[in-house]
Amino acid sequence: MTRRRLAVAIITVVAVIGVFVVRLVDIQVVRADELNANSMDRRAVAQTTYAARGDIVDKDGNVLAGSVMRYDITVSPKTIPATFTRVDDEGVETEVTLEEAAAEVARITGQKKAEVLAAFTDNPESDFEYVIQEVPTETMREIRELGIPGIYPRQRPARIYPGGSVGGNLVGFVGTDGPQNGLERTEDSCIASEDGSSTYERGADGIRLPGSTVTTQEAVDGGTLHTTIDYDLQWTVQQTIAEQALAIGAESASASVVEVATGEIRALADWPSVDPNNVDGTPVTNLGSLAFTTPYEPGSTFKPMTAAMLIDKGVADPMTQVSVPAVWFSPEGNRIADAAPHADLQLTLTGVIEQSSNVGISQLATRVSNSDRYDYMRAFGIGSKTEVDFQGESAGLLSETWDDQTKYNVSFGQGVSVTGAQMASIYQTLGNGGVRKPLTLVTGCELPDGTMTDEPSTEETRVVSEAAADTSVAMMESVANTGGLAAQLQIPGYRVAAKSGTAEVAAGGVYTSDRVVSVAGLAPAEDPKYAVIVTFVKPSTIRTSAAAAPTFQKIMTQVLKTYRVTPSSTPAPSMPTTW
């Protein structure tokens, strides 16, 4: 009997062991791959590791565009319980329902309770749903302190623009589809980041297992884009042109400040301008930079450049004499008129610049051939995009052949169109002794390892002789000293060289009563450090360059003060304006 029982027991044990062996072989050998995959599907969770987009900074490292950490609040509907127990600091337990939890989250995020509850319950088999995206750290912490099982915050860098609209016309913005405008788009190769990926494991309750995270691809932050912009000066220039544009009822306005010796843009403002933090609040036409994208006929601010050509060619000097009627008919029979009626004047070239005579500059300009003047203009940068190559930048309009009217008109800024950026480059060249430096907005891309790339070209071009450029600047001093706008252009302690311009606006092939008014200039005139250009489009009250002169004076004064430019120590030259 005992032997029989022992045999039965042995057979039973062997049978049980056999069952376990068969089951073990099935699990570990036959179905190993399938079960491992299913296990990992339940335990391993893949997630994106977000990298930060690089900063855009001004010349001193102040952030114009940057990234801050935001959080996506996510939920696992599969693991979130219908009710859970919350224990307060005093050990008191409270049962919390899913609806109550949804209401708590909604109060923090500002959502409707139904919206949050839908994220919790609409897809009960889902392991991942968004409750809300890109909330600040404070909001994330408040939600985390609720202790709701199945809710997880995920880090996500977000784009911010600390200065709002300061430099917004240049910086651009990032939208839901990526970089949309300005430097954000054109310099994306520098500041773009590369997201990484990782996985972590969780337990049966859906909670992440500590120490289980495995990185599968490292996240790579974007580089830092260094610009030439001076943050504080940019703000001042923007405010100054906005105030005057509103006062005179202008349609738009632009102003630029360029360092003469380097060609670097210290400020370039447009009005109206986009606030990258509120793109929807800006009309589509004002999302970029008018100074780069919108050409216009410059008018009389062109005349110093024409004078420089004449002097460089040796066919005129500041004392060259010309008889100037109010209206003049060219040898070809074309009519040229000054802006206002006047008696016949006996002007020197200096007087032509001071009086801004279209007739006088037209009579002298043709001493240089059309082809040579065209070549000069090309060398000054007219008809080509600037080296900045800004998004949507216009090359303006410069025809290679001129008819009998245009060959006179181009000498005083009609029949040719330029951008504000091109005008800034012209005056940089005149102030720099006739040497044109590449107009520069970006000085380079600093990679995360500290390497600097994409540094701009410093190749310079001599356009006119030093004597021709310096003489043209000296003649412009007469505008600030004895011209009609002298009282609004002078800056105590400094010699200023300036030129005003009032250009007619063409529409439908004819000139209208609308105007573009400008003042362009340099200071200190004896050794120019900065070029400033101010332009207002279609003012409705003051339709002459008198509308731009006070703004030019305010901006140039601020520039000289900001950079502590040494005051002038020598008097302006005395150049006769009549004979």
Side-chain angles (χ1 to χ4, degrees), residues 309-369:
M309 299 177 196
L310 293 167
I311 296 168
D312 191 60
K313 272 294 187 179
V315 296
D317 60 43
M319 298 297 295
T320 297
Q321 300 173 351
V322 60
S323 296
V324 181
V327 178
W328 175 68
F329 289 91
S330 72
E332 299 84 5
N334 296 297
R335 182 180 184 274
I336 310 295
D338 281 342
H342 59 75
D344 287 358
L345 302 173
Q346 307 300 312
L347 299 178
T348 63
L349 178 55
T350 303
V352 168
I353 297 299
E354 183 201 81
Q355 295 296 315
S356 198
S357 173
N358 297 339
V359 171
I361 202 70
S362 295
Q363 289 178 319
L364 295 173
T366 51
R367 294 185 178 186
V368 178
S369 69

Side-chain angles (χ1 to χ4, degrees), residues 372-458:
D372 282 350
R373 283 195 288 153
Y374 173 84
D375 290 341
Y376 272 117
M377 290 185 184
R378 293 289 297 184
F380 270 105
I382 303 168
S384 302
K385 294 180 182 179
T386 70
E387 293 78 5
V388 173
D389 196 21
F390 195 78
Q391 181 187 11
E393 182 173 352
S394 171
L397 178 64
L398 176 65
S399 298
E400 190 168 358
T401 57
W402 304 334
D403 60 28
D404 288 338
Q405 183 74 54
T406 303
K407 72 178 183 181
Y408 296 106
N409 289 359
V410 294
S411 67
F412 55 87
Q414 280 191 348
V416 59
S417 67
V418 296
T419 63
Q422 289 172 328
M423 286 302 300
S425 184
I426 290 170
Y427 276 75
Q428 177 276 323
T429 303
L430 292 175
N432 196 42
V435 175
R436 183 176 182 273
K437 293 279 191 175
L439 201 64
T440 305
L441 179 60
V442 172
T443 56
C445 174
E446 183 181 1
L447 301 179
D449 64 2
T451 304
M452 189 68 77
T453 65
D454 300 334
E455 294 177 300
S457 169
T458 58

Side-chain angles (χ1 to χ4, degrees), residues 83-386:
T83 62
F84 65 93
T85 301
R86 180 183 292 150
V87 181
D88 64 19
D89 294 339
E90 297 178 357
V92 178
E93 296 184 354
T94 305
E95 288 295 314
V96 181
T97 67
L98 213 53
E99 284 202 10
E100 291 170 335
E104 291 175 333
V105 172
R107 279 195 293 272
I108 294 172
T109 62
Q111 297 169 279
K112 295 179 180 179
K113 182 183 81 171
E115 185 180 352
V116 177
L117 188 61
F120 288 177
T121 60
D122 276 3
N123 297 300
E125 296 304 311
S126 172
D127 219 11
F128 178 90
E129 299 290 337
Y130 285 111
V131 177
I132 190 170
Q133 293 178 272
E134 294 191 17
V135 300
T137 303
E138 297 76 12
T139 301
M140 179 276 291
R141 287 174 178 167
E142 287 186 64
I143 294 173
R144 188 176 60 188
E145 288 171 1
L146 296 175
I148 303 172
I151 286 185
Y152 312 101
R154 299 178 64 190
Q155 290 185 341
R156 177 197 291 268
R159 206 63 170 157
I160 62 164
Y161 303 89
S165 64
V166 177
N169 58 324
L170 303 175
V171 171
F173 52 89
V174 174
T176 54
D177 295 327
Q180 300 293 303
N181 221 339
L183 296 176
E184 288 277 26
R185 181 166 182 176
T186 60
E187 307 302 318
D188 186 55
S189 60
C190 168
I191 53 182
S193 58
E194 184 178 348
D195 293 336
S197 59
S198 63
T199 60
Y200 67 87
E201 295 185 13
R202 63 187 174 194
D205 57 0
I207 302 299
R208 181 189 300 216
L209 298 177
S212 65
T213 300
V214 176
T215 299
T216 54
Q217 181 175 331
E218 293 286 349
V220 180
D221 291 339
T224 300
L225 186 71
H226 292 266
T227 73
T228 61
I229 294 300
D230 182 320
Y231 182 99
D232 291 336
L233 185 62
Q234 177 76 18
W235 181 89
T236 299
V237 174
Q238 285 187 208
Q239 291 294 111
T240 305
I241 65 169
E243 290 171 5
Q244 183 69 348
L246 290 170
I248 63 176
E251 182 180 281
S252 62
S254 295
S256 60
V257 178
V258 174
E259 188 174 74
V260 166
T262 64
E264 294 185 353
I265 300 169
R266 292 290 172 244
L268 194 154
D270 295 293
W271 180 88
S273 184
V274 62
D275 179 349
N277 294 315
N278 181 27
V279 176
D280 292 340
T282 305
V284 174
T285 53
N286 296 323
L287 294 180
S289 172
L290 300 174
F292 281 109
T293 62
T294 308
Y296 62 98
E297 290 193 350
S300 294
T301 51
F302 241 40
K303 288 171 183 170
M305 180 184 66
T306 301
M309 299 177 196
L310 293 167
I311 296 168
D312 191 60
K313 272 294 187 179
V315 296
D317 60 43
M319 298 297 295
T320 297
Q321 300 173 351
V322 60
S323 296
V324 181
V327 178
W328 175 68
F329 289 91
S330 72
E332 299 84 5
N334 296 297
R335 182 180 184 274
I336 310 295
D338 281 342
H342 59 75
D344 287 358
L345 302 173
Q346 307 300 312
L347 299 178
T348 63
L349 178 55
T350 303
V352 168
I353 297 299
E354 183 201 81
Q355 295 296 315
S356 198
S357 173
N358 297 339
V359 171
I361 202 70
S362 295
Q363 289 178 319
L364 295 173
T366 51
R367 294 185 178 186
V368 178
S369 69
N370 291 354
S371 60
D372 282 350
R373 283 195 288 153
Y374 173 84
D375 290 341
Y376 272 117
M377 290 185 184
R378 293 289 297 184
F380 270 105
I382 303 168
S384 302
K385 294 180 182 179
T386 70

Side-chain angles (χ1 to χ4, degrees), residues 551-568:
T551 306
F552 169 86
Q553 195 265 3
K554 288 180 182 178
I555 292 174
M556 184 63 88
T557 299
Q558 184 61 50
V559 169
L560 297 171
K561 184 187 303 181
T562 296
Y563 297 116
R564 300 181 180 181
V565 176
T566 303
S568 300

